[in-house]
Amino acid sequence: MAGVSTEQSSPRESSAEQAGTEPTAAEQAPETQAEAAEPPKRASGKLLGLLGGVAVVALAIDILTKVAVVANLEGKQPVELFGGLLYLDVLRNPGAAFSLATGMTWLLALLASAVVGVIIWLAPKLRSPGWAVGLGLVLGGACGNLVDRFFRAPGPLQGHVVDFLSVFAPGGAVWPVFNVADSCIVCGGILVVLMSLLGRDYDGTVHRKKKAAQS
């Protein structure tokens, strides 16, 4: 009976082996949270395409509508649409959206260029479809008005923007005359603000989930 081995690992050795091979839940939690919080990088290409597509469509619609109204309606009486809800009334605006800052055309052109640059710089970091659409609208609208600033009379950085949409009355009597680019900028800005209020950042971070994970 002396030759029979009855070796058994002690409780300390068993616990040491388990500790060496299986990480505890406390050790796994930070890594799991970090992986959950990390946005999917593979979606960036699709989001860049979404942002660019929205911007191109907005820019194209803005340019085409401006060319059409200048060629057919400039210098003529306003055209009433939808029973007076909307009027096509072509005006040349040296200022910002809704005829603001009319004496600072060159500065507005530089500010719009800066906005375009910031959006292009931010675009590769996007991980949110909502932000991509919002920034795409702002980018397309800013580029649309920049085309007028650079290529319309009286000259580069001094060009007057073509406005032609007047609601409820012609001539901006009720609301300042605007264009498609202005509408895109406003709608895109509203969408970006809404995403921020919902706690969703451009990089895909959701603040509510982040706070819950930290707590």
Side-chain angles (χ1 to χ4, degrees), residues 78-79 87-89 166-174 177:
V79 176
Y87 289 83
L88 300 180
D89 190 8
S166 183
V167 294
F168 303 124
V174 177
V177 184

Side-chain angles (χ1 to χ4, degrees), residues 3-215:
V4 178
S5 175
T6 57
E7 293 181 359
Q8 295 182 352
S9 59
S10 64
R12 292 183 179 179
E13 293 176 349
S14 299
S15 60
E17 292 176 356
Q18 293 177 356
T21 57
E22 297 182 1
T24 62
E27 293 173 345
Q28 290 179 341
E31 296 180 358
T32 303
Q33 292 175 4
E35 292 175 357
E38 185 179 356
K41 295 183 179 180
R42 61 183 180 181
S44 61
K46 294 181 180 180
L47 293 179
L48 282 175
L50 178 61
L51 185 151
V54 171
V56 168
V57 170
L59 176 60
I61 294 175
D62 180 65
I63 292 177
L64 291 175
T65 52
K66 287 175 179 176
V67 170
V69 298
V70 168
N72 297 286
L73 299 178
E74 190 170 28
K76 299 180 180 180
Q77 292 296 319
V79 176
E80 179 181 328
L81 299 176
F82 310 115
L85 180 63
L86 181 67
Y87 289 83
L88 300 180
D89 190 8
V90 182
L91 299 175
R92 300 288 182 129
N93 176 20
F98 307 119
S99 300
L100 300 176
T102 56
M104 305 178 70
T105 306
W106 65 272
L107 180 59
L108 294 171
L110 293 179
L111 289 175
S113 300
V115 170
V116 171
V118 170
I119 294 176
I120 293 175
W121 172 80
L122 194 64
K125 304 177 182 180
L126 283 176
R127 299 292 184 273
S128 168
W131 274 84
V133 173
L135 292 180
L137 288 171
V138 174
L139 179 60
C143 289
N145 283 337
L146 270 177
V147 170
D148 286 1
R149 302 288 187 200
F150 279 98
F151 297 106
R152 294 192 184 276
L157 296 180
Q158 299 290 334
H160 294 182
V161 173
V162 175
D163 290 336
F164 58 92
L165 298 172
S166 183
V167 294
F168 303 124
V174 177
W175 188 260
V177 184
F178 57 98
N179 56 37
V180 174
D182 297 334
S183 300
C184 290
I185 292 172
V186 171
C187 292
I190 292 174
L191 181 56
V192 167
V193 171
L194 179 61
M195 295 296 294
S196 298
L197 292 177
L198 293 175
R200 299 179 181 273
D201 286 343
Y202 67 92
D203 60 357
T205 302
V206 180
H207 288 296
R208 292 178 181 175
K209 291 183 179 180
K210 186 176 180 181
K211 291 180 180 179
Q214 290 176 350
S215 60

